[in-house]
Amino acid sequence: MPSVEELAKKILTLEGKPQIDANGKPTGRTISKSTAKQYSLNFKKLVTALGCDKAEDLGACLRKTDLFADYIDETYPNSNTAKSNYNSLVAPAKYIPELKAAYGSTIELLRERMLYHIKKAETEAIEATGSQKVESLASIKKRITGVKRKFGDTSPEYVAAVLQTSLKGLRGELATVKVVGSVKEMDKYPNAYYHAAGKMRIKEFKTKQIYEPYLFTLKKTERPYKVLDKWLKAKKPKYLLGNNKETTGNILKRALGVGVLDIRHSMISELVNTGDNAGTEARLREIAPMFKHNWTMTTRYYRNTDTEEDVDEEDR
């Protein structure tokens, strides 16, 4: 049996490994460097706290999962923190045979407690929505008239403001969308727009390994197409917002005073509160794929409580 120190080092090598869900199936994503580091640090912290680093039989100590459960639940009353600590014990065992063998069937208790805290965290998130506020999408859209007046109707600021607030679920990729001259030419670029047909496809985005590309068909009678028509004829840009040297988020902040993430928060809040299942978990689950993330992240966006690691630079 490797030592605690050796196991902690092995856990660090999980970076880049395919993520495996609770049913043993690949999720389509890989373990990031920061996740592997968190697993390693938490694992070492927990086994040291219970004295397993000094135990003559490390395997026997690891099998005392009831003690680990008591320690985590008492030390970390916040369910998000608790589930993170449970996961740091459970997840590495999927990849490290010695660790899996050491736990044996006792790992089921850790898995049960982890799932309990996952569900509890989700429930608390839903209950908290009523007290969290974000600016309404309608309020943001009211400023678009001022953007047109200040920057002009053939400016990247105006184009970005109209498109980002109109196309549901967009992340921050508008600035990376290549303007092309045919449907066939769209295949040359991951993110492309063919104006004659009003077709936009975005394949390159943060969660592309899990979700299908964004596909939009702009109607010629509606505002986004009309705005693009005037912009493209006047400026003939190579990319949808100009030269692809500035992020969508920066352009939006200059135009509207808010970034991509703010608009996504507002758009989600508006959509959650419409429809037959308005304000419910079912509605959150229903709209999540539109935003290319899971429903629990949709809940956090709804509450405007994203964390730093959830945010890409282009989404700011």
Side-chain angles (χ1 to χ4, degrees), residues 6-49:
E6 289 169 336
L7 285 171
K9 288 179 180 179
K10 280 195 173 190
I11 293 172
L12 285 175
T13 68
L14 298 182
E15 178 188 349
K17 299 281 187 184
Q19 284 187 358
I20 301 172
D21 66 18
N23 298 313
K25 296 180 179 180
T27 65
R29 304 181 72 176
T30 57
I31 297 175
S32 67
K33 182 178 181 178
S34 61
T35 297
K37 184 177 180 181
Q38 183 184 54
Y39 285 166
S40 181
L41 290 173
N42 283 350
F43 175 83
K44 187 175 179 180
K45 171 192 68 180
L46 292 168
V47 298
T48 300

Side-chain angles (χ1 to χ4, degrees), residues 91-306:
K94 299 174 186 176
Y95 306 88
I96 301 173
E98 301 97 324
L99 193 53
K100 183 178 180 180
Y103 283 131
S105 61
T106 63
I107 197 172
E108 290 306 317
L109 174 62
L110 298 178
R111 191 173 283 120
E112 287 174 9
R113 294 304 297 167
M114 179 181 71
L115 293 174
Y116 164 78
H117 283 288
I118 289 173
K119 185 62 180 176
K120 184 181 177 185
E122 291 174 353
T123 301
E124 289 172 348
I126 293 292
E127 291 173 349
T129 57
S131 62
Q132 301 291 333
K133 304 295 180 183
V134 296
E135 183 178 6
S136 71
L137 187 61
S139 174
I140 294 174
K141 283 184 172 181
K142 284 181 181 178
R143 298 202 287 274
I144 295 178
T145 300
V147 175
K148 181 179 180 180
R149 189 164 49 245
K150 180 177 180 180
F151 296 98
D153 58 3
T154 56
S155 66
E157 290 83 3
Y158 183 59
V159 174
V162 170
L163 294 183
Q164 195 72 44
T165 57
S166 300
L167 303 182
K168 292 181 175 62
L170 271 183
R171 286 181 176 273
E173 285 77 25
L174 276 178
T176 70
V177 175
K178 186 78 167 65
V179 178
V180 300
S182 68
V183 171
K184 186 176 180 180
E185 192 182 355
M186 291 181 75
D187 293 335
K188 295 181 180 180
Y189 305 95
N191 301 341
Y193 175 68
Y194 174 44
H195 185 57
K199 291 188 177 296
M200 187 186 305
R201 186 200 61 224
I202 299 175
K203 296 169 64 176
E204 189 66 35
F205 56 93
K206 183 179 178 182
T207 53
K208 64 180 181 180
Q209 292 179 315
I210 303 174
Y211 298 98
E212 294 295 315
Y214 288 96
L215 297 173
F216 299 104
T217 299
L218 308 187
K219 294 181 179 179
K220 294 183 179 182
T221 56
E222 295 181 354
R223 187 185 192 187
Y225 185 92
K226 291 179 178 179
V227 167
L228 275 174
D229 191 58
K230 191 167 187 176
W231 156 251
L232 295 176
K233 287 176 179 176
K235 302 297 183 179
K236 297 178 173 56
K238 292 182 178 180
Y239 290 86
L240 210 56
L241 299 185
N243 56 19
N244 192 27
K245 291 184 179 179
E246 190 174 14
T247 67
T248 307
N250 285 343
I251 295 171
L252 286 169
K253 284 181 179 178
R254 186 166 62 248
L256 294 169
V258 294
V260 173
L261 200 61
D262 301 297
I263 294 171
R264 281 167 65 84
H265 280 268
S266 299
M267 191 172 285
I268 285 172
S269 293
E270 179 180 89
L271 290 170
V272 167
N273 290 313
T274 59
D276 295 337
N277 297 321
T280 66
E281 177 181 322
R283 183 59 175 157
L284 286 165
R285 290 182 181 275
E286 185 180 331
I287 69 172
M290 187 186 303
F291 289 82
K292 311 299 182 186
H293 58 210
N294 61 45
W295 86 274
T296 53
M297 185 61 70
T298 303
T299 301
R300 293 164 72 179
Y301 270 43
Y302 179 32
R303 294 181 299 127
N304 200 12
T305 55
D306 52 282

